[in-house]
Amino acid sequence: MKYVYDRLLSDEELRPHLERGDSVVFSGIAKAWQEIERQVERLGFGDSFTVSRARRAGTTREQDVIRVSPIRGRFDG
């Protein structure tokens, strides 16, 4: 499943998503991408998930997003 948030998640909130193999998108907090990347590593999912940052063109303005996605073929969930 794909979930979208406009705030950082606590370890307790993010861990279940990673355990299920969900994709998590963070909208509007692009400056926090390194913090999210470290959190994924700290929770023990650094080998199973990738953290990427992108800029999407919106209808009225561009929007920065951070995506936490399972690496295909590596998720055992």
Side-chain angles (χ1 to χ4, degrees), residues 37-60:
E37 188 174 54
R38 285 190 298 267
Q39 183 181 22
V40 170
E41 288 282 337
R42 186 178 67 250
L43 291 172
F45 291 90
D47 291 337
S48 301
F49 282 80
T50 185
V51 178
S52 60
R53 181 177 56 170
R55 178 165 284 182
R56 293 183 147 181
T59 55
T60 57

Side-chain angles (χ1 to χ4, degrees), residues 8-35:
L8 292 174
L9 298 179
S10 68
D11 289 354
E12 293 77 22
E13 293 172 310
L14 184 57
R15 184 186 308 276
H17 287 300
L18 301 176
E19 289 172 343
R20 287 191 304 262
D22 295 336
S23 290
V24 182
V25 176
F26 296 92
S27 178
I29 58 171
K31 292 181 180 181
W33 74 272
Q34 289 178 320
E35 184 176 345

